[in-house]
Amino acid sequence: MTTNAEIEERWVEAWNDLFDIVGERWQVDCLLPDGLIVDTETCKGWLQESAYQGYCLKVEEGRVKGKRGIVVLRFKEGKSI
């Protein structure tokens, strides 16, 4: 069973990855696994909520609406992406 500390570590690491990609840019779009495109604040909430639902998280730079953005993935432990 995943501990609260492990859950918090998941979303904090995902937030750090998000901030590393965003850097000094403004209005960076984030693509969620369901195809929804959101702003970074909404993405942060989604990442935290997903971690508390037991998901592992992956945040990476990708193309969103034809420009540099953030692509996020979530998966259960032991499952492949």
mmCIF file of all heavy atoms in Angstrom, residues 5-27:
data_model
loop_
_atom_site.group_PDB
_atom_site.id
_atom_site.type_symbol
_atom_site.label_atom_id
_atom_site.label_comp_id
_atom_site.label_asym_id
_atom_site.label_seq_id
_atom_site.Cartn_x
_atom_site.Cartn_y
_atom_site.Cartn_z
ATOM 1 N N ALA A 5 3.215 9.789 2.481
ATOM 2 C CA ALA A 5 4.483 10.426 2.105
ATOM 3 C C ALA A 5 4.850 10.094 0.659
ATOM 4 O O ALA A 5 5.313 10.964 -0.079
ATOM 5 C CB ALA A 5 5.595 9.985 3.048
ATOM 6 N N GLU A 6 4.621 8.860 0.243
ATOM 7 C CA GLU A 6 4.909 8.468 -1.144
ATOM 8 C C GLU A 6 3.978 9.187 -2.119
ATOM 9 O O GLU A 6 4.406 9.621 -3.188
ATOM 10 C CB GLU A 6 4.776 6.956 -1.310
ATOM 11 C CG GLU A 6 5.865 6.170 -0.609
ATOM 12 C CD GLU A 6 5.586 4.684 -0.561
ATOM 13 O OE1 GLU A 6 4.402 4.276 -0.463
ATOM 14 O OE2 GLU A 6 6.565 3.915 -0.617
ATOM 15 N N ILE A 7 2.723 9.309 -1.726
ATOM 16 C CA ILE A 7 1.752 10.020 -2.572
ATOM 17 C C ILE A 7 2.173 11.475 -2.730
ATOM 18 O O ILE A 7 2.194 12.004 -3.845
ATOM 19 C CB ILE A 7 0.336 9.921 -1.976
ATOM 20 C CG1 ILE A 7 -0.182 8.481 -2.109
ATOM 21 C CG2 ILE A 7 -0.611 10.911 -2.630
ATOM 22 C CD1 ILE A 7 -1.455 8.205 -1.346
ATOM 23 N N GLU A 8 2.509 12.124 -1.633
ATOM 24 C CA GLU A 8 2.927 13.522 -1.696
ATOM 25 C C GLU A 8 4.198 13.672 -2.518
ATOM 26 O O GLU A 8 4.344 14.632 -3.274
ATOM 27 C CB GLU A 8 3.098 14.094 -0.299
ATOM 28 C CG GLU A 8 1.774 14.296 0.401
ATOM 29 C CD GLU A 8 1.903 14.900 1.777
ATOM 30 O OE1 GLU A 8 2.998 15.374 2.139
ATOM 31 O OE2 GLU A 8 0.881 14.918 2.488
ATOM 32 N N GLU A 9 5.104 12.721 -2.384
ATOM 33 C CA GLU A 9 6.337 12.760 -3.174
ATOM 34 C C GLU A 9 6.035 12.687 -4.669
ATOM 35 O O GLU A 9 6.664 13.377 -5.469
ATOM 36 C CB GLU A 9 7.250 11.601 -2.757
ATOM 37 C CG GLU A 9 8.603 11.637 -3.439
ATOM 38 C CD GLU A 9 9.511 10.527 -2.947
ATOM 39 O OE1 GLU A 9 9.437 10.160 -1.763
ATOM 40 O OE2 GLU A 9 10.280 10.023 -3.777
ATOM 41 N N ARG A 10 5.053 11.894 -5.040
ATOM 42 C CA ARG A 10 4.681 11.768 -6.465
ATOM 43 C C ARG A 10 4.243 13.104 -7.041
ATOM 44 O O ARG A 10 4.694 13.505 -8.101
ATOM 45 C CB ARG A 10 3.553 10.751 -6.640
ATOM 46 C CG ARG A 10 3.991 9.337 -6.510
ATOM 47 C CD ARG A 10 2.832 8.392 -6.696
ATOM 48 N NE ARG A 10 3.259 7.024 -6.454
ATOM 49 C CZ ARG A 10 2.453 5.993 -6.443
ATOM 50 N NH1 ARG A 10 1.154 6.163 -6.650
ATOM 51 N NH2 ARG A 10 2.916 4.787 -6.221
ATOM 52 N N TRP A 11 3.312 13.785 -6.349
ATOM 53 C CA TRP A 11 2.828 15.026 -6.956
ATOM 54 C C TRP A 11 3.843 16.150 -6.835
ATOM 55 O O TRP A 11 3.931 17.002 -7.711
ATOM 56 C CB TRP A 11 1.428 15.408 -6.500
ATOM 57 C CG TRP A 11 1.188 15.763 -5.071
ATOM 58 C CD1 TRP A 11 0.676 14.956 -4.112
ATOM 59 C CD2 TRP A 11 1.395 17.037 -4.436
ATOM 60 N NE1 TRP A 11 0.571 15.638 -2.919
ATOM 61 C CE2 TRP A 11 0.997 16.916 -3.087
ATOM 62 C CE3 TRP A 11 1.876 18.267 -4.881
ATOM 63 C CZ2 TRP A 11 1.051 17.966 -2.177
ATOM 64 C CZ3 TRP A 11 1.937 19.311 -3.974
ATOM 65 C CH2 TRP A 11 1.533 19.174 -2.658
ATOM 66 N N VAL A 12 4.640 16.160 -5.785
ATOM 67 C CA VAL A 12 5.686 17.191 -5.669
ATOM 68 C C VAL A 12 6.718 17.013 -6.779
ATOM 69 O O VAL A 12 7.127 17.990 -7.425
ATOM 70 C CB VAL A 12 6.343 17.159 -4.274
ATOM 71 C CG1 VAL A 12 7.598 18.010 -4.237
ATOM 72 C CG2 VAL A 12 5.344 17.633 -3.217
ATOM 73 N N GLU A 13 7.129 15.787 -7.058
ATOM 74 C CA GLU A 13 8.068 15.535 -8.158
ATOM 75 C C GLU A 13 7.455 15.933 -9.497
ATOM 76 O O GLU A 13 8.128 16.526 -10.349
ATOM 77 C CB GLU A 13 8.478 14.066 -8.185
ATOM 78 C CG GLU A 13 9.446 13.696 -7.092
ATOM 79 C CD GLU A 13 9.838 12.224 -7.124
ATOM 80 O OE1 GLU A 13 9.496 11.507 -8.091
ATOM 81 O OE2 GLU A 13 10.495 11.791 -6.157
ATOM 82 N N ALA A 14 6.159 15.634 -9.681
ATOM 83 C CA ALA A 14 5.485 16.011 -10.924
ATOM 84 C C ALA A 14 5.413 17.530 -11.057
ATOM 85 O O ALA A 14 5.637 18.081 -12.138
ATOM 86 C CB ALA A 14 4.080 15.398 -10.971
ATOM 87 N N TRP A 15 5.121 18.223 -9.960
ATOM 88 C CA TRP A 15 5.101 19.694 -9.993
ATOM 89 C C TRP A 15 6.484 20.235 -10.337
ATOM 90 O O TRP A 15 6.597 21.174 -11.130
ATOM 91 C CB TRP A 15 4.652 20.251 -8.651
ATOM 92 C CG TRP A 15 3.181 20.240 -8.397
ATOM 93 C CD1 TRP A 15 2.242 19.418 -8.957
ATOM 94 C CD2 TRP A 15 2.468 21.094 -7.498
ATOM 95 N NE1 TRP A 15 0.998 19.700 -8.439
ATOM 96 C CE2 TRP A 15 1.111 20.724 -7.551
ATOM 97 C CE3 TRP A 15 2.857 22.109 -6.647
ATOM 98 C CZ2 TRP A 15 0.126 21.353 -6.789
ATOM 99 C CZ3 TRP A 15 1.882 22.744 -5.888
ATOM 100 C CH2 TRP A 15 0.533 22.374 -5.960
ATOM 101 N N ASN A 16 7.525 19.665 -9.751
ATOM 102 C CA ASN A 16 8.889 20.117 -10.055
ATOM 103 C C ASN A 16 9.203 19.937 -11.533
ATOM 104 O O ASN A 16 9.780 20.833 -12.165
ATOM 105 C CB ASN A 16 9.911 19.377 -9.192
ATOM 106 C CG ASN A 16 9.892 19.824 -7.752
ATOM 107 O OD1 ASN A 16 9.444 20.916 -7.425
ATOM 108 N ND2 ASN A 16 10.360 18.961 -6.870
ATOM 109 N N ASP A 17 8.825 18.787 -12.097
ATOM 110 C CA ASP A 17 9.034 18.556 -13.525
ATOM 111 C C ASP A 17 8.266 19.589 -14.352
ATOM 112 O O ASP A 17 8.779 20.127 -15.332
ATOM 113 C CB ASP A 17 8.589 17.147 -13.920
ATOM 114 C CG ASP A 17 9.472 16.059 -13.339
ATOM 115 O OD1 ASP A 17 10.608 16.370 -12.893
ATOM 116 O OD2 ASP A 17 9.030 14.887 -13.323
ATOM 117 N N LEU A 18 7.040 19.877 -13.940
ATOM 118 C CA LEU A 18 6.209 20.869 -14.622
ATOM 119 C C LEU A 18 6.894 22.231 -14.624
ATOM 120 O O LEU A 18 7.039 22.868 -15.668
ATOM 121 C CB LEU A 18 4.842 20.948 -13.936
ATOM 122 C CG LEU A 18 3.846 21.941 -14.497
ATOM 123 C CD1 LEU A 18 3.120 21.338 -15.690
ATOM 124 C CD2 LEU A 18 2.845 22.337 -13.435
ATOM 125 N N PHE A 19 7.361 22.666 -13.450
ATOM 126 C CA PHE A 19 8.008 23.971 -13.347
ATOM 127 C C PHE A 19 9.319 24.018 -14.121
ATOM 128 O O PHE A 19 9.665 25.057 -14.689
ATOM 129 C CB PHE A 19 8.237 24.355 -11.890
ATOM 130 C CG PHE A 19 6.963 24.674 -11.160
ATOM 131 C CD1 PHE A 19 6.650 24.012 -9.985
ATOM 132 C CD2 PHE A 19 6.072 25.619 -11.647
ATOM 133 C CE1 PHE A 19 5.471 24.291 -9.301
ATOM 134 C CE2 PHE A 19 4.894 25.904 -10.973
ATOM 135 C CZ PHE A 19 4.595 25.236 -9.792
ATOM 136 N N ASP A 20 10.062 22.916 -14.157
ATOM 137 C CA ASP A 20 11.301 22.862 -14.942
ATOM 138 C C ASP A 20 11.016 23.079 -16.422
ATOM 139 O O ASP A 20 11.774 23.756 -17.120
ATOM 140 C CB ASP A 20 12.015 21.516 -14.755
ATOM 141 C CG ASP A 20 12.670 21.380 -13.387
ATOM 142 O OD1 ASP A 20 12.812 22.400 -12.671
ATOM 143 O OD2 ASP A 20 13.022 20.237 -13.034
ATOM 144 N N ILE A 21 9.922 22.516 -16.906
ATOM 145 C CA ILE A 21 9.574 22.653 -18.328
ATOM 146 C C ILE A 21 9.036 24.052 -18.614
ATOM 147 O O ILE A 21 9.399 24.673 -19.609
ATOM 148 C CB ILE A 21 8.551 21.583 -18.747
ATOM 149 C CG1 ILE A 21 9.185 20.188 -18.645
ATOM 150 C CG2 ILE A 21 8.050 21.846 -20.170
ATOM 151 C CD1 ILE A 21 8.193 19.045 -18.748
ATOM 152 N N VAL A 22 8.181 24.550 -17.745
ATOM 153 C CA VAL A 22 7.570 25.872 -17.961
ATOM 154 C C VAL A 22 8.631 26.966 -17.934
ATOM 155 O O VAL A 22 8.640 27.842 -18.793
ATOM 156 C CB VAL A 22 6.468 26.147 -16.910
ATOM 157 C CG1 VAL A 22 6.020 27.600 -16.970
ATOM 158 C CG2 VAL A 22 5.294 25.216 -17.108
ATOM 159 N N GLY A 23 9.535 26.917 -16.956
ATOM 160 C CA GLY A 23 10.574 27.934 -16.853
ATOM 161 C C GLY A 23 9.980 29.324 -16.751
ATOM 162 O O GLY A 23 9.093 29.584 -15.940
ATOM 163 N N GLU A 24 10.450 30.205 -17.591
ATOM 164 C CA GLU A 24 10.018 31.604 -17.567
ATOM 165 C C GLU A 24 8.886 31.896 -18.550
ATOM 166 O O GLU A 24 8.482 33.045 -18.711
ATOM 167 C CB GLU A 24 11.209 32.513 -17.901
ATOM 168 C CG GLU A 24 12.361 32.403 -16.924
ATOM 169 C CD GLU A 24 12.002 32.901 -15.529
ATOM 170 O OE1 GLU A 24 11.289 33.923 -15.423
ATOM 171 O OE2 GLU A 24 12.435 32.260 -14.557
ATOM 172 N N ARG A 25 8.396 30.873 -19.226
ATOM 173 C CA ARG A 25 7.339 31.094 -20.227
ATOM 174 C C ARG A 25 5.990 31.361 -19.564
ATOM 175 O O ARG A 25 5.733 30.954 -18.443
ATOM 176 C CB ARG A 25 7.209 29.869 -21.149
ATOM 177 C CG ARG A 25 8.451 29.630 -21.970
ATOM 178 C CD ARG A 25 8.282 28.480 -22.923
ATOM 179 N NE ARG A 25 8.288 27.217 -22.170
ATOM 180 C CZ ARG A 25 7.759 26.095 -22.623
ATOM 181 N NH1 ARG A 25 7.160 26.055 -23.788
ATOM 182 N NH2 ARG A 25 7.814 24.990 -21.899
ATOM 183 N N TRP A 26 5.132 32.033 -20.284
ATOM 184 C CA TRP A 26 3.781 32.332 -19.831
ATOM 185 C C TRP A 26 2.798 31.501 -20.633
ATOM 186 O O TRP A 26 3.046 31.169 -21.782
ATOM 187 C CB TRP A 26 3.453 33.811 -20.041
ATOM 188 C CG TRP A 26 4.298 34.709 -19.222
ATOM 189 C CD1 TRP A 26 5.524 35.220 -19.570
ATOM 190 C CD2 TRP A 26 4.029 35.187 -17.917
ATOM 191 N NE1 TRP A 26 6.024 35.995 -18.565
ATOM 192 C CE2 TRP A 26 5.115 36.000 -17.531
ATOM 193 C CE3 TRP A 26 2.972 35.024 -17.039
ATOM 194 C CZ2 TRP A 26 5.157 36.636 -16.302
ATOM 195 C CZ3 TRP A 26 3.025 35.658 -15.819
ATOM 196 C CH2 TRP A 26 4.109 36.453 -15.462
ATOM 197 N N GLN A 27 1.678 31.203 -20.048
ATOM 198 C CA GLN A 27 0.571 30.530 -20.717
ATOM 199 C C GLN A 27 1.010 29.272 -21.471
ATOM 200 O O GLN A 27 0.824 29.152 -22.672
ATOM 201 C CB GLN A 27 -0.152 31.486 -21.660
ATOM 202 C CG GLN A 27 -0.794 32.644 -20.929
ATOM 203 C CD GLN A 27 -1.501 33.592 -21.868
ATOM 204 O OE1 GLN A 27 -1.092 33.773 -23.007
ATOM 205 N NE2 GLN A 27 -2.560 34.193 -21.387
#
